[in-house]
Amino acid sequence: MMEWPAIFELFPFMAKLDPAAQAQLQKEGTRIQINDGESFHPPDGCCDAVPLMLSGVLRICKISESGREVTLFRAYPGDVCLLNLTRQLQLSDFHAFAVAEDASQLLLIPSGYYQRWLKNFIPWKDYLITILYKRLGETMEVLEQVAFTKADKRLAHILYTLSKGQNTALQITHEQLAIELGTAREVVSRLLSELKRQGIITQKRGSIEILDSKALQQIIR
Protein backbone atom coordinates (compact mmCIF):
# COMPACT_ATOMS: atom_id res chain seq x y z
CA MET A 1 0.00 0.00 0.00
CA MET A 2 1.47 3.34 -1.06
CA GLU A 3 2.24 5.68 1.84
CA TRP A 4 0.84 9.22 1.89
CA PRO A 5 4.20 11.01 1.46
CA ALA A 6 4.68 9.06 -1.79
CA ILE A 7 1.11 9.97 -2.88
CA PHE A 8 1.78 13.66 -2.27
CA GLU A 9 4.95 13.35 -4.35
CA LEU A 10 3.06 11.61 -7.18
CA PHE A 11 0.38 14.32 -7.19
CA PRO A 12 2.22 17.61 -6.54
CA PHE A 13 -1.03 19.59 -6.22
CA MET A 14 -1.74 17.67 -2.99
CA ALA A 15 1.53 18.86 -1.50
CA LYS A 16 0.24 22.44 -1.91
CA LEU A 17 -2.76 21.80 0.34
CA ASP A 18 -2.51 23.17 3.86
CA PRO A 19 -1.76 20.58 6.60
CA ALA A 20 -5.37 20.47 7.82
CA ALA A 21 -6.67 19.75 4.31
CA GLN A 22 -4.02 17.04 3.81
CA ALA A 23 -5.03 15.39 7.08
CA GLN A 24 -8.71 15.45 6.09
CA LEU A 25 -7.90 13.97 2.69
CA GLN A 26 -5.96 11.13 4.32
CA LYS A 27 -9.00 10.43 6.49
CA GLU A 28 -11.67 10.54 3.77
CA GLY A 29 -9.84 9.25 0.70
CA THR A 30 -10.54 5.60 -0.18
CA ARG A 31 -7.92 3.34 -1.71
CA ILE A 32 -8.98 0.35 -3.82
CA GLN A 33 -7.12 -2.44 -5.58
CA ILE A 34 -7.96 -3.78 -9.05
CA ASN A 35 -6.45 -7.10 -10.08
CA ASP A 36 -4.83 -7.67 -13.45
CA GLY A 37 -7.52 -8.26 -16.08
CA GLU A 38 -10.41 -6.92 -13.99
CA SER A 39 -12.70 -4.10 -15.08
CA PHE A 40 -12.79 -0.95 -12.98
CA HIS A 41 -16.03 -0.60 -11.03
CA PRO A 42 -16.00 1.81 -8.07
CA PRO A 43 -17.37 0.21 -4.87
CA ASP A 44 -20.90 1.00 -3.70
CA GLY A 45 -21.22 4.59 -2.54
CA CYS A 46 -18.20 5.78 -4.54
CA CYS A 47 -19.73 6.14 -8.00
CA ASP A 48 -19.25 9.90 -7.99
CA ALA A 49 -15.74 9.86 -6.60
CA VAL A 50 -12.75 11.00 -8.65
CA PRO A 51 -10.26 8.12 -9.07
CA LEU A 52 -6.55 8.97 -9.07
CA MET A 53 -4.05 6.37 -10.30
CA LEU A 54 -1.50 5.35 -7.67
CA SER A 55 0.00 2.33 -9.43
CA GLY A 56 -0.56 -0.03 -12.34
CA VAL A 57 -2.11 0.63 -15.75
CA LEU A 58 -5.75 1.04 -16.79
CA ARG A 59 -6.63 0.56 -20.45
CA ILE A 60 -9.60 2.70 -21.53
CA CYS A 61 -11.63 1.03 -24.29
CA LYS A 62 -14.72 1.59 -26.37
CA ILE A 63 -16.91 -0.96 -28.17
CA SER A 64 -18.73 -0.18 -31.40
CA GLU A 65 -22.30 -1.24 -32.18
CA SER A 66 -20.86 -4.11 -34.22
CA GLY A 67 -18.95 -5.35 -31.17
CA ARG A 68 -15.48 -4.25 -32.26
CA GLU A 69 -13.30 -3.00 -29.43
CA VAL A 70 -10.66 -0.29 -29.69
CA THR A 71 -8.20 1.08 -27.13
CA LEU A 72 -8.52 4.86 -26.70
CA PHE A 73 -5.72 5.50 -24.21
CA ARG A 74 -4.13 4.26 -20.99
CA ALA A 75 -4.05 5.76 -17.50
CA TYR A 76 -0.79 5.51 -15.55
CA PRO A 77 0.31 6.48 -12.02
CA GLY A 78 -0.22 10.21 -11.53
CA ASP A 79 -3.27 10.26 -13.86
CA VAL A 80 -6.95 10.74 -13.12
CA CYS A 81 -9.41 8.21 -14.54
CA LEU A 82 -11.69 10.18 -16.88
CA LEU A 83 -14.58 7.72 -16.72
CA ASN A 84 -15.78 9.15 -13.42
CA LEU A 85 -14.44 12.65 -13.93
CA THR A 86 -17.02 13.31 -16.68
CA ARG A 87 -19.77 12.94 -14.08
CA GLN A 88 -18.18 15.68 -12.01
CA LEU A 89 -18.11 17.91 -15.09
CA GLN A 90 -21.89 17.34 -15.36
CA LEU A 91 -21.52 15.83 -18.80
CA SER A 92 -23.16 12.66 -20.06
CA ASP A 93 -21.37 9.47 -19.08
CA PHE A 94 -18.19 8.69 -21.00
CA HIS A 95 -19.37 5.55 -22.82
CA ALA A 96 -16.26 3.45 -22.40
CA PHE A 97 -14.82 1.06 -19.84
CA ALA A 98 -11.51 0.53 -18.08
CA VAL A 99 -9.58 -2.72 -17.67
CA ALA A 100 -6.49 -3.19 -15.49
CA GLU A 101 -3.48 -4.33 -17.52
CA ASP A 102 -1.48 -4.65 -14.32
CA ALA A 103 -2.61 -4.88 -10.72
CA SER A 104 -3.63 -1.27 -10.04
CA GLN A 105 -4.23 0.82 -6.94
CA LEU A 106 -6.50 3.88 -7.06
CA LEU A 107 -7.29 6.65 -4.62
CA LEU A 108 -10.95 7.70 -4.70
CA ILE A 109 -11.44 11.38 -3.89
CA PRO A 110 -14.97 12.23 -2.64
CA SER A 111 -16.92 14.38 -5.09
CA GLY A 112 -17.13 17.24 -2.59
CA TYR A 113 -13.39 17.75 -2.85
CA TYR A 114 -13.65 18.08 -6.63
CA GLN A 115 -16.20 20.89 -6.35
CA ARG A 116 -14.40 22.80 -3.58
CA TRP A 117 -10.98 22.52 -5.19
CA LEU A 118 -12.35 23.56 -8.58
CA LYS A 119 -13.65 26.81 -7.06
CA ASN A 120 -10.80 27.64 -4.73
CA PHE A 121 -7.66 25.65 -5.57
CA ILE A 122 -5.77 26.64 -8.73
CA PRO A 123 -3.23 23.73 -8.62
CA TRP A 124 -6.18 21.31 -8.94
CA LYS A 125 -7.49 23.19 -11.99
CA ASP A 126 -4.03 23.16 -13.59
CA TYR A 127 -3.72 19.42 -12.96
CA LEU A 128 -7.10 18.64 -14.56
CA ILE A 129 -6.42 20.81 -17.60
CA THR A 130 -3.06 19.10 -18.13
CA ILE A 131 -4.60 15.61 -17.89
CA LEU A 132 -7.53 16.47 -20.17
CA TYR A 133 -5.21 17.98 -22.77
CA LYS A 134 -3.00 14.89 -22.63
CA ARG A 135 -5.95 12.50 -23.03
CA LEU A 136 -7.38 14.55 -25.91
CA GLY A 137 -4.04 14.38 -27.71
CA GLU A 138 -3.78 10.61 -27.24
CA THR A 139 -7.35 10.03 -28.44
CA MET A 140 -6.80 12.23 -31.48
CA GLU A 141 -3.68 10.22 -32.27
CA VAL A 142 -5.70 6.99 -32.14
CA LEU A 143 -8.33 8.44 -34.48
CA GLU A 144 -5.66 9.67 -36.86
CA GLN A 145 -3.97 6.28 -36.87
CA VAL A 146 -7.24 4.46 -37.57
CA ALA A 147 -8.36 6.90 -40.26
CA PHE A 148 -5.15 7.70 -42.11
CA THR A 149 -2.42 5.14 -41.36
CA LYS A 150 -2.20 1.75 -43.02
CA ALA A 151 -2.74 -1.24 -40.77
CA ASP A 152 0.77 -2.64 -41.36
CA LYS A 153 2.40 0.56 -40.09
CA ARG A 154 0.06 0.71 -37.11
CA LEU A 155 0.88 -2.88 -36.19
CA ALA A 156 4.60 -2.25 -36.55
CA HIS A 157 4.26 0.84 -34.35
CA ILE A 158 2.44 -1.12 -31.63
CA LEU A 159 4.97 -3.97 -31.67
CA TYR A 160 7.88 -1.53 -31.62
CA THR A 161 6.34 0.44 -28.75
CA LEU A 162 5.48 -2.61 -26.66
CA SER A 163 8.96 -4.07 -27.17
CA LYS A 164 10.55 -0.67 -26.40
CA GLY A 165 12.57 -1.00 -29.59
CA GLN A 166 14.25 -4.20 -28.41
CA ASN A 167 14.43 -7.73 -29.77
CA THR A 168 12.31 -9.46 -27.14
CA ALA A 169 9.27 -11.69 -26.63
CA LEU A 170 5.85 -10.10 -26.07
CA GLN A 171 3.08 -11.94 -24.23
CA ILE A 172 0.23 -10.80 -26.45
CA THR A 173 -2.41 -12.51 -28.59
CA HIS A 174 -3.80 -11.76 -32.04
CA GLU A 175 -7.07 -10.75 -30.39
CA GLN A 176 -5.33 -8.25 -28.11
CA LEU A 177 -3.49 -6.72 -31.05
CA ALA A 178 -6.76 -6.46 -32.98
CA ILE A 179 -8.21 -4.47 -30.06
CA GLU A 180 -5.19 -2.17 -30.07
CA LEU A 181 -5.57 -1.60 -33.82
CA GLY A 182 -9.36 -1.40 -33.82
CA THR A 183 -9.52 -3.97 -36.59
CA ALA A 184 -10.45 -7.60 -37.15
CA ARG A 185 -8.40 -10.49 -35.77
CA GLU A 186 -8.07 -11.91 -39.29
CA VAL A 187 -6.36 -8.72 -40.45
CA VAL A 188 -3.83 -8.96 -37.62
CA SER A 189 -3.15 -12.62 -38.36
CA ARG A 190 -2.47 -11.83 -42.03
CA LEU A 191 -0.14 -8.94 -41.17
CA LEU A 192 1.76 -11.00 -38.60
CA SER A 193 2.19 -13.80 -41.12
CA GLU A 194 3.82 -11.31 -43.50
CA LEU A 195 6.17 -10.05 -40.76
CA LYS A 196 7.06 -13.65 -39.99
CA ARG A 197 7.75 -14.33 -43.68
CA GLN A 198 10.16 -11.39 -43.69
CA GLY A 199 11.97 -12.75 -40.64
CA ILE A 200 11.01 -9.78 -38.47
CA ILE A 201 9.08 -11.83 -35.90
CA THR A 202 8.36 -15.38 -34.92
CA GLN A 203 5.20 -16.60 -33.22
CA LYS A 204 4.26 -19.02 -30.48
CA ARG A 205 0.92 -19.58 -28.81
CA GLY A 206 0.10 -16.43 -26.87
CA SER A 207 3.38 -14.68 -27.66
CA ILE A 208 5.26 -12.88 -30.42
CA GLU A 209 9.05 -12.65 -30.48
CA ILE A 210 10.61 -9.60 -32.11
CA LEU A 211 13.65 -10.70 -34.11
CA ASP A 212 14.44 -7.46 -35.95
CA SER A 213 13.25 -4.30 -34.20
CA LYS A 214 15.15 -2.12 -36.69
CA ALA A 215 13.01 -3.54 -39.51
CA LEU A 216 9.88 -2.61 -37.55
CA GLN A 217 11.22 0.92 -37.25
CA GLN A 218 11.74 1.07 -40.99
CA ILE A 219 8.12 0.03 -41.60
CA ILE A 220 6.90 2.81 -39.29
CA ARG A 221 8.85 5.39 -41.28
Side-chain angles (χ1 to χ4, degrees):
M1 188 74 69
M2 183 177 290
E3 299 296 330
W4 279 101
I7 294 175
F8 291 154
E9 183 176 350
L10 184 60
F11 296 95
F13 72 86
M14 292 185 184
K16 297 178 181 179
L17 293 166
D18 62 64
Q22 289 181 354
Q24 187 177 15
L25 178 61
Q26 293 180 48
K27 181 180 179 180
E28 298 183 11
T30 302
R31 279 181 276 189
I32 63 170
Q33 187 80 19
I34 308 173
N35 295 324
D36 185 8
E38 289 184 350
S39 297
F40 168 49
H41 297 291
D44 292 342
C46 295
C47 290
D48 289 330
V50 178
L52 302 178
M53 290 288 297
L54 300 181
S55 64
V57 181
L58 287 182
R59 183 169 60 88
I60 313 303
C61 319
K62 189 172 180 63
I63 298 180
S64 69
E65 292 182 359
S66 64
R68 181 170 295 174
E69 182 179 332
V70 63
T71 298
L72 298 178
F73 53 82
R74 287 173 169 81
Y76 297 96
D79 286 343
V80 61
C81 181
L82 296 185
L83 296 185
N84 280 45
L85 183 61
T86 54
R87 296 179 181 177
Q88 307 303 320
L89 295 172
Q90 297 182 342
L91 301 174
S92 58
D93 283 348
F94 187 44
H95 296 294
F97 64 97
V99 178
E101 288 193 327
D102 293 313
S104 302
Q105 185 183 159
L106 282 75
L107 173 65
L108 302 182
I109 303 294
S111 58
Y113 282 81
Y114 169 85
Q115 300 294 344
R116 292 196 301 273
W117 288 351
L118 198 59
K119 293 178 180 178
N120 305 309
F121 191 40
I122 291 177
W124 172 243
K125 294 181 183 180
D126 291 342
Y127 168 75
L128 290 183
I129 290 171
T130 299
I131 293 295
L132 289 169
Y133 182 81
K134 180 180 178 182
R135 293 286 91 88
L136 175 61
E138 291 171 350
T139 303
M140 291 296 292
E141 183 177 350
V142 170
L143 293 175
E144 183 177 325
Q145 289 280 329
V146 172
F148 304 118
T149 305
K150 291 183 179 179
D152 59 342
K153 285 191 175 184
R154 289 161 52 208
L155 176 60
H157 182 268
I158 289 173
L159 293 176
Y160 187 82
T161 300
L162 293 176
S163 65
K164 299 180 180 179
Q166 304 295 317
N167 291 345
T168 186
L170 301 174
Q171 301 302 313
I172 194 167
T173 65
H174 292 203
E175 184 66 30
Q176 289 171 318
L177 285 171
I179 290 171
E180 293 291 331
L181 289 172
T183 190
R185 184 183 184 280
E186 293 75 17
V187 173
V188 170
S189 297
R190 175 174 56 80
L191 295 173
L192 289 173
S193 295
E194 178 60 21
L195 292 177
K196 182 178 179 180
R197 186 190 68 79
Q198 296 177 34
I200 298 174
I201 67 166
T202 186
Q203 300 183 73
K204 296 181 180 179
R205 185 176 181 84
S207 69
I208 297 170
E209 184 173 358
I210 310 299
L211 302 177
D212 191 347
S213 62
K214 291 183 179 180
L216 286 177
Q217 194 174 29
Q218 289 299 318
I219 294 174
I220 298 169
R221 293 176 179 173

